[in-house]
């Protein structure tokens, strides 16, 4: 087994013999129980009255340290109340409108009328799903200085909780090692005690290139990290730091800065050249497979059939940085892959990291990042700790989610890549209910929440003293059931004196967590850490064991534990399970964005990404975890939160009515029929009222959220574009999958390296996703031309009814405009295949309608040709 851990530059792993005075568990002679108690006391579990501050000379600081670490900032009532009023009004208007529509069928176009009315009812329903979870939006504020006062007292060991950082990568060609290296460097350089941070990289591609790049990155970190800390630079990802176009001398006082920065930039450029050389070399696999620097073959030469690999860099025994300080641990992990075993993509990779980190470091919190999401704010983890370590609110918090922010998106954000409407409106809304959904990256988890436990029950105010002998926490009784902690936060591993009990619970635990006694024991250490007695070699051996591909067989991994399997959007499912168990999550938006990543900016890649998300949602919708029917028994999921989860799984289905609704105007224009009867002045009031209420909710929403009107409009446009392409395909593929078992293959999105001219934006790749929107666009344009020429031929009286139809057609065209731009590419060149297909479909379609109901017959002469003469 050990043979599969890598030998190149092996640093004997050690956790137990730490010396540093800042180590939170350096009182190693005290037992676990005492240490836990101790920590709890320090966390401020004592009520304010019991706090003994006579010993502390600085009363002011003590007072400050007792203050809450964060605060809810409600949205101003002058902004939120009008918003709510308009929502209610809109609901009433909508009901009146639908009533009118149902009671007034169009007899000569019954089919059109019926279709449109079904669509409208569905739109109304999906609006409700989207709207009501935004009833209680909130903002939050954190107090980093209080966190520091409370847990980082001078002369005492640092009490901040350790955090394990997980980074996932799979394909070095699409996810360039330089991007991953930057992410890793930003993590290693974060503003947090180094001995409390460990960074785990999961390499699902088992790529030697990724491995060697990481080894190189570890070396470069020895220079980069002290530089960042010395000059407090931001961001701490070198690529982004050196490409910032701001005045880098602002606020800098040290005279050596300019010189050192210049030297550092040189170093980074050399580093970059080395990484690029590795990548260039890696494009062609040598005939005999890759050979490591020590001459042995790379164990991951067959990416689908290879042993598990772990390599520890840096950390306690990994040498110091150039200034003589320790660096955080960096661990390369590539889980075992064998044919015939499901690997469950990112979710499987994350679960492997949960176990490896449980064995090696067992931090009570873990930060999850995609390889392209670097730490943009070096205090991000501290921000999260303001919630997770808060003695009042913390215990029930399963994770702290940060918004995703992006670099390298075109200024106008043509395809709504930034997703601001979701991140600044919907997520803030959820934060006021039971917490934001987990979006896959930029999230700090509580380890215990990932282990499938429920949040601690009991009074909101923490108990004064916790006592393990007291029957109310009877860990001896509760432990075998292992699903609930006592009110004091967790079971106590020293609670056994009966061997039989111990054996029984041991068996239960192994059924749940798998056959690793060391890992199982680690799950019981609620406050983290590894047993002081364990030897590094044994731990490493166990770490290899827990990433073997059969490890999860007959356990609860992926069903109840860790990242949940069963959907390509594992993130939604994982967060959903936690909320169902009664946890709450927190949305944290520091002023300086905590993390930044890249997004696919060209049309085809973007549509494919959206397709993947939508398919994931459809999968969840049809699964046993569907928020429509899952989790009522526990009764822990708040109903508005459920509504939001239902919305995230049913939204792809809106593509069907949307598709119908987008073709209706064209049909109407071509046939001369309309979805509504001639309307009276009274009825037109409904329309105006509905239109106004939609408009005003939009405006008021933008007012409380601070989202700009342009961002909102891009979102609307992309809702239609994605709706009639990606979401539509997702529904079809999802149905194929459950009905016929046909699976779709997806690859990761490529992480473009920054380029100035946005070449990427104009890159065009052919995909079938483009056909439906193009067709819709073409038939609507044809419809507009036909409708106008028809009206010209028929004189004045026909302009009235035409107006309504043209309005709908323009609505469609305007929404699809960015799509049209995308089709044109930079050189205004549309790939012929798209044109051919769309023109073909559009003309078949138009001809069909013209034949069935030729409006030309009503007019005397041919239409278009005479137009020129008549005008
Ligand atoms: O077999 C695999 C496949 C993917 N990944 C990683 O998963 C992450 C996400 O993949 P990406 O192609 O970048 O997907 P995006 O659409 O950009 O990702 C968003 O949506 C995904 C699905 O909801 C989430 O998993 C991501 O965290 C979230 O950022 C990347 O770090 C990959 O390296 C693996 O580790 N193993
Ligand atoms: Mn991504």
């Amino acid at each position: 087994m050990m043979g599969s851990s890598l030998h190149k530059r092996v640093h004997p792993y050690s956790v137990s013999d730490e010396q540093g005075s800042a180590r939170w568990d350096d009182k190693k002679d005290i037992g676990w129980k005492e240490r836990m108690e101790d920590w709890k006391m320090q966390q401020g579990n004592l009520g304010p009255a019991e706090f003994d501050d006579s010993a502390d000379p600085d009363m002011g600081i003590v007072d400050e340290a007792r203050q809450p670490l964060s605060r809810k900032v409600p949205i101003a009532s002058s902004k939120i109340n009008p918003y709510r009023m308009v929502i209610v009004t809109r609901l009433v208007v909508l009901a009146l409108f639908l009533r009118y529509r149902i009671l007034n069928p169009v007899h000569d176009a019954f089919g059109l009328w019926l279709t449109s009315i079904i669509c409208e009812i569905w739109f109304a329903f999906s609006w409700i799903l989207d709207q009501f979870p935004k009833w209680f939006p909130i903002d939050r504020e954190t107090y980093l200085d209080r966190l520091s006062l409370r847990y980082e007292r001078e002369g005492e060991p640092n009490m901040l909780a350790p955090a394990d950082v997980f980074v996932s990568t799979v394909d070095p060609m699409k996810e360039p090692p330089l991007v991953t290296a930057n992410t890793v460097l930003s993590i290693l350089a974060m503003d947090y005690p180094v001995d409390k941070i460990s960074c785990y990289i999961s390499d699902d591609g088992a790529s030697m290139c990724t491995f060697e790049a990481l080894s190189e990155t570890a070396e470069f970190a020895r220079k980069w990290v002290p530089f960042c800390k010395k000059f407090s630079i931001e961001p701490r990802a070198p690529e982004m730091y050196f490409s910032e176009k701001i005045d880098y001398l602002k606020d800098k006082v040290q005279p050596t800065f300019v010189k050192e920065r210049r030297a550092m930039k040189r170093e980074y450029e050399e580093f970059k050249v080395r990484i690029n050389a590795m990548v260039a070399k890696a494009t062609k696999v040598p005939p005999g497979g890759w050979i490591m620097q020590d001459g042995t073959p790379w164990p991951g030469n067959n990416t689908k059939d290879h042993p598990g690999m772990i390599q520890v860099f840096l950390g306690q025994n990994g040498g110091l940085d150039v200034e003589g300080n320790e660096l955080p641990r960096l661990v390369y992990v590539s889980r075992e892959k064998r044919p015939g075993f499901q690997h469950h993509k990112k979710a499987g990779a994350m679960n492997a990291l949960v176990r490896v980190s449980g064995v090696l470091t067992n931090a009570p919190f873990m930060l999850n990042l995609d390889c392209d999401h670097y730490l943009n704010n070096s205090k991000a983890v501290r921000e999260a700790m303001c919630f997770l370590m808060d003695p009042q609110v913390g215990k029930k918090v399963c994770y702290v989610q940060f918004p995703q922010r992006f670099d390298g998106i075109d200024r106008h954000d043509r395809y709504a890549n930034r997703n601001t409407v979701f991140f600044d409106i919907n997520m803030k809304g959820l934060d006021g209910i039971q917490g934001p959904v987990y979006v896959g990256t930029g999230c700090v988890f509580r380890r215990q929440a990932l282990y499938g436990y429920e949040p601690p029950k009991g009074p909101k105010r923490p108990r004064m003293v916790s006592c393990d002998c007291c029957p109310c926490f009877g860990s001896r009784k509760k432990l075998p059931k292992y699903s609930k902690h006592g009110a004091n936060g967790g079971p106590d591993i020293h609670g056994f004196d009966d061997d039989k009990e111990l054996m029984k619970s041991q068996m239960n635990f192994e059924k749940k967590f798998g056959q690793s006694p060391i890992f199982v024991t680690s799950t019981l250490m609620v406050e983290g850490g590894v047993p002081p007695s364990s030897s590094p070699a044994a731990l490493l051996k166990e770490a290899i064991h827990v990433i073997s591909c059969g490890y999860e067989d007959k356990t609860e991994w992926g069903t109840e534990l860790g990242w949940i399997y069963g959907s390509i959007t594992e993130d939604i499912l994982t967060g959903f399970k936690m909320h169902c168990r009664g946890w709450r999550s927190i949305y944290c938006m520091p002023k300086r964005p905590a993390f930044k990543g890249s997004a696919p900016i060209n049309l085809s890649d973007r549509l494919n990404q959206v397709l993947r998300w939508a398919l994931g949602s459809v999968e969840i919708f049809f699964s046993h975890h569907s928020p429509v029917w899952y989790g009522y028994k526990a009764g822990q999921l708040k109903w508005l939160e459920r509504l939001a989860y239902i919305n995230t799984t049913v939204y792809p289905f809106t593509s069907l009515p949307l598709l119908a609704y987008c073709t209706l105007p064209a049909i109407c224009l071509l046939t001369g029929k309309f979805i509504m009867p001639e309307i009276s002045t009274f009825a037109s009031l409904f329309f105006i009222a509905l239109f106004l209420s939609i408009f005003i909710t939009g405006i008021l929403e933008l007012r409380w959220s601070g989202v700009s009107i342009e961002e909102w409009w891009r979102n609307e446009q992309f809702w239609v574009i994605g709706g009639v392409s990606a979401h539509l395909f997702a529904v079809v593929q999802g149905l194929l999958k459950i009905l016929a078992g046909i699976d779709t293959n997806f690859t990761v999105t490529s992480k473009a390296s920054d380029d100035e001219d946005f070449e990427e934006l104009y890159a065009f790749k052919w995909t079938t996703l483009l056909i439906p929107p193009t067709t819709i666009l073409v038939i609507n344009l044809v419809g507009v031309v036909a409708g106008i020429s028809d009206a010209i031929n028929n004189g004045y009286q026909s302009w009235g009814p035409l107006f309504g139809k043209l309005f709908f057609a323009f609505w469609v065209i305007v929404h699809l405009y960015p799509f049209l731009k995308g089709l044109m590419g930079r050189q205004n060149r549309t790939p012929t295949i798209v044109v051919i297909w769309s023109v073909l479909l559009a003309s078949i379609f138009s001809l069909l309608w013209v034949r069935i109901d030729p409006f030309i017959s009503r007019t005397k002469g041919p239409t278009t040709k005479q137009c020129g003469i008549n005008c």
Side-chain angles (χ1 to χ4, degrees):
M1 273 303 198
M2 279 301 285
S4 41
S5 79
L6 305 175
H7 290 300
K8 192 191 151 234
R9 285 192 234 179
V10 172
H11 303 297
Y13 190 78
S14 161
V15 194
S16 52
D17 54 8
E18 54 231 6
Q19 231 82 92
S21 63
R23 200 65 207 181
W24 79 313
D25 47 0
D26 66 344
K27 301 175 218 150
K28 55 182 166 225
D29 40 349
I30 313 177
W32 277 104
K33 195 160 65 180
E34 285 92 320
R35 234 186 288 177
M36 244 142 70
E37 294 297 77
D38 207 51
W39 193 59
K40 268 180 223 141
M41 301 265 279
Q42 307 256 12
Q43 271 192 309
N45 263 6
L46 290 173
E50 287 80 22
F51 202 98
D52 178 20
D53 53 14
S54 58
D56 206 307
D58 200 338
M59 292 274 286
I61 290 193
V62 172
D63 276 348
E64 181 73 8
R66 274 196 217 134
Q67 300 284 315
L69 301 174
S70 69
R71 181 173 82 92
K72 265 190 209 173
V73 185
I75 308 267
S77 53
S78 63
K79 285 182 178 169
I80 199 73
N81 286 339
Y83 175 66
R84 288 176 182 156
M85 260 148 60
V86 177
I87 292 174
V88 174
T89 317
R90 182 167 164 185
L91 200 65
V92 174
V93 170
L94 195 63
L96 290 174
F97 171 82
L98 287 176
R99 184 173 166 271
Y100 168 80
R101 292 279 285 136
I102 292 169
L103 294 180
N104 291 277
V106 186
H107 294 292
D108 63 336
F110 193 77
L112 289 184
W113 169 80
L114 191 68
T115 316
S116 63
I117 194 108
I118 291 173
C119 294
E120 281 157 18
I121 291 172
W122 178 268
F123 292 146
F125 170 69
S126 72
W127 170 67
I128 290 175
L129 285 184
D130 182 58
Q131 184 66 71
F132 282 86
K134 295 189 278 196
W135 193 262
F136 305 105
I138 54 163
D139 277 322
R140 286 178 193 277
E141 214 172 70
T142 53
Y143 306 106
L144 293 177
D145 42 344
R146 289 185 192 161
L147 182 81
S148 196
L149 280 175
R150 192 188 276 258
Y151 298 113
E152 300 183 290
R153 307 235 189 118
E154 239 171 280
E156 284 173 36
N158 190 307
M159 302 303 272
L160 285 175
D164 290 334
V165 186
F166 298 171
V167 179
S168 58
T169 183
V170 53
D171 181 346
M173 293 304 135
K174 284 189 168 168
E175 307 179 319
L178 190 65
V179 172
T180 313
N182 267 280
T183 302
V184 169
L185 287 167
S186 72
I187 293 166
L188 297 179
M190 78 165 86
D191 179 3
Y192 210 73
V194 285
D195 54 340
K196 291 172 190 286
I197 292 293
S198 308
C199 178
Y200 293 86
I201 313 292
S202 155
D203 177 18
D204 259 353
S207 143
M208 191 168 90
C209 177
T210 305
F211 175 74
E212 292 200 321
L214 201 66
S215 157
E216 198 66 59
T217 307
E219 284 316 304
F220 181 65
R222 293 183 205 277
K223 299 166 199 149
W224 175 250
V225 173
F227 170 76
C228 290
K229 294 196 172 167
K230 184 166 173 194
F231 301 109
S232 306
I233 64 149
E234 295 280 4
R236 298 189 179 180
E239 183 71 35
M240 293 58 182
Y241 172 66
F242 287 121
S243 59
E244 292 237 298
K245 287 186 190 75
I246 52 157
D247 174 16
Y248 63 84
L249 287 177
K250 205 173 152 257
D251 317 319
K252 291 287 180 288
V253 285
Q254 291 98 319
T256 56
F257 177 64
V258 177
K259 220 177 106 212
E260 289 194 36
R261 186 185 191 273
R262 198 176 300 138
M264 199 62 211
K265 194 168 177 187
R266 265 275 279 283
E267 294 270 7
Y268 176 64
E269 270 152 19
E270 283 164 16
F271 167 74
K272 214 164 140 175
V273 168
R274 286 196 296 275
I275 298 281
N276 287 340
M278 282 178 193
V279 175
K281 203 185 78 185
T283 49
K284 231 181 109 227
V285 189
W290 299 106
I291 306 286
M292 280 192 285
Q293 278 171 16
D294 65 357
T296 54
W298 169 249
N301 271 324
N302 182 346
T303 53
K304 295 203 170 84
D305 188 359
H306 67 84
M309 298 179 265
I310 294 178
Q311 171 74 61
V312 182
F313 301 101
L314 307 174
Q316 209 127 61
N317 300 298
L320 306 172
D321 68 20
V322 291
E323 309 252 292
N325 299 310
E326 201 182 292
L327 286 162
R329 250 181 233 95
L330 177 62
V331 186
Y332 172 89
V333 178
S334 182
R335 60 195 163 122
E336 185 185 20
K337 292 265 178 75
R338 298 292 176 205
F341 285 88
Q342 273 278 354
H343 63 77
H344 300 291
K345 300 209 161 104
K346 183 188 163 185
M350 287 299 107
N351 285 341
L353 288 192
V354 171
R355 295 190 296 268
V356 169
S357 65
V359 168
L360 296 184
T361 45
N362 199 27
F365 302 106
M366 43 256 243
L367 164 63
N368 164 231
L369 291 173
D370 286 353
C371 58
D372 59 337
H373 277 246
Y374 66 90
L375 215 86
N376 181 59
N377 178 339
S378 62
K379 295 192 177 347
V381 173
R382 288 173 182 269
E383 296 274 350
M385 290 305 168
C386 282
F387 301 101
L388 294 166
M389 291 185 76
D390 189 298
Q392 305 292 322
V393 296
K395 292 266 189 284
K396 287 183 187 252
V397 176
C398 53
Y399 58 81
V400 176
Q401 174 68 58
F402 293 83
Q404 280 189 35
R405 300 292 186 215
F406 302 94
D407 276 331
I409 290 177
D410 51 302
R411 194 159 56 86
H412 296 293
D413 192 12
R414 194 190 277 174
Y415 307 120
N417 264 308
R418 286 187 210 283
N419 254 330
T420 12
V421 171
F422 175 73
F423 285 115
D424 292 44
I425 300 180
N426 296 59
M427 292 283 264
K428 277 189 194 172
L430 286 178
D431 200 15
I433 307 166
Q434 203 179 343
V437 300
Y438 164 49
V439 296
T441 177
C443 185
V444 183
F445 285 97
R446 177 183 299 277
R447 194 180 272 273
Q448 290 291 312
L450 277 170
Y451 287 162
Y453 293 112
E454 285 164 16
K457 296 222 168 60
K460 266 215 162 138
R461 231 178 84 93
R463 279 163 200 268
M464 309 281 196
V465 234
S466 51
C467 121
D468 293 292
C469 48
C470 159
C472 50
F473 309 121
S475 40
R476 212 172 304 173
K477 284 233 170 65
K478 282 218 171 121
L479 198 50
K481 283 200 207 115
Y482 63 73
S483 64
K484 291 159 191 125
H485 316 197
N488 62 340
D492 163 26
I493 44 164
H494 298 280
F496 300 103
D497 36 28
D498 186 347
D499 276 356
K500 258 201 219 143
E501 284 280 331
L502 183 69
M503 284 257 289
K504 216 171 97 200
S505 73
Q506 190 79 24
M507 264 162 61
N508 273 328
F509 274 107
E510 297 207 339
K511 248 200 192 134
K512 187 185 184 192
F513 291 108
Q515 307 273 334
S516 164
I518 296 186
F519 178 71
V520 167
T521 313
S522 81
T523 66
L524 296 171
M525 298 174 179
V526 181
E527 317 293 7
V530 294
S533 53
S534 39
S535 89
L539 289 182
L540 209 52
K541 185 166 174 226
E542 196 63 13
I544 291 283
H545 170 57
V546 297
I547 56 169
S548 57
C549 54
Y551 184 84
E552 293 182 354
D553 287 354
K554 302 204 184 80
T555 65
E556 291 181 9
W557 286 100
T559 55
E560 297 297 324
L561 288 187
W563 269 255
I564 307 297
Y565 305 150
S567 162
I568 36 176
T569 49
E570 72 298 321
D571 41 5
I572 301 293
L573 214 46
T574 305
F576 176 61
K577 287 280 270 194
M578 291 182 189
H579 285 135
C580 285
R581 292 198 170 103
W583 291 95
R584 84 120 46 235
S585 57
I586 298 276
Y587 197 44
C588 179
M589 306 175 87
K591 283 214 181 57
R592 186 181 169 87
F595 308 100
K596 277 188 168 185
S598 62
I601 58 169
N602 71 67
L603 179 59
S604 329
D605 285 351
R606 173 71 169 140
L607 286 179
N608 266 310
Q609 182 186 44
V610 176
L611 167 62
R612 189 148 44 86
W613 290 345
L615 183 59
S617 289
V618 176
E619 282 175 328
I620 299 176
F621 180 79
F622 288 119
S623 76
H624 105 105
H625 279 128
S626 176
V628 179
W629 50 74
Y630 182 81
Y632 286 97
K633 234 188 280 158
Q636 297 288 341
L637 190 67
K638 299 225 170 91
W639 73 274
L640 278 177
E641 189 83 10
R642 180 182 296 278
L643 227 53
Y645 271 112
I646 292 178
N647 191 32
T648 58
T649 52
V650 304
Y651 76 86
F653 295 98
T654 304
S655 60
L656 299 171
L658 196 61
L659 178 72
Y661 221 75
C662 286
T663 42
L664 279 178
I667 295 172
C668 291
L669 283 165
L670 290 171
T671 58
K673 301 232 163 86
F674 201 41
I675 53 174
M676 276 176 257
E678 295 260 310
I679 44 173
S680 60
T681 347
F682 173 69
S684 61
L685 280 181
F686 290 134
F687 287 89
I688 295 169
L690 184 65
F691 199 77
L692 274 180
S693 66
I694 291 176
F695 183 72
I696 299 173
T697 22
I699 295 292
L700 292 180
E701 199 162 272
L702 299 185
R703 223 164 65 101
W704 69 250
S705 63
V707 171
S708 77
I709 196 141
E710 188 184 12
E711 288 167 315
W712 175 82
W713 173 235
R714 290 281 173 260
N715 191 68
E716 291 294 299
Q717 288 178 316
F718 198 73
W719 177 70
V720 174
I721 298 171
V724 295
S725 57
H727 299 175
L728 195 67
F729 280 74
V731 171
V732 174
Q733 288 179 9
L735 285 173
L736 279 180
K737 196 170 170 181
I738 60 154
L739 297 178
I742 301 170
D743 217 339
T744 331
N745 246 331
F746 278 108
T747 53
V748 286
T749 49
S750 24
K751 280 78 185 170
S753 38
D754 287 16
D755 70 50
E756 298 287 304
D757 326 321
F758 291 104
E759 257 335 300
E760 246 326 271
L761 177 63
Y762 305 104
F764 185 87
K765 290 168 210 151
W766 159 249
T767 103
T768 30
L769 289 174
L770 301 173
I771 293 177
T774 316
T775 310
I776 289 175
L777 203 60
V778 173
I779 59 171
N780 274 290
L781 288 170
V782 169
V784 168
V785 172
I788 292 181
S789 54
D790 182 41
I792 288 170
N793 286 328
N794 284 318
Y796 256 130
Q797 75 285 359
S798 53
W799 282 98
L802 181 68
F803 187 76
K805 296 172 211 168
L806 283 181
F807 176 82
F808 278 102
F810 276 126
W811 182 90
V812 174
I813 294 167
V814 164
H815 275 85
L816 289 176
Y817 188 63
F819 174 83
L820 187 65
K821 267 184 157 169
L823 276 191
M824 296 301 187
R826 176 169 263 176
Q827 306 83 5
N828 288 355
R829 195 158 35 87
T830 314
T832 25
I833 182 137
V834 184
V835 179
I836 291 172
W837 261 107
S838 311
V839 169
L840 206 74
L841 281 176
S843 40
I844 291 173
F845 208 66
S846 323
L847 270 177
L848 218 66
W849 277 104
V850 172
R851 274 203 86 87
I852 292 168
D853 195 341
F855 61 78
I856 314 162
S857 62
R858 275 186 282 114
T859 71
K860 285 260 161 68
T863 46
T864 30
K865 282 221 178 110
Q866 269 189 354
C867 164
I869 305 164
N870 283 0
C871 301

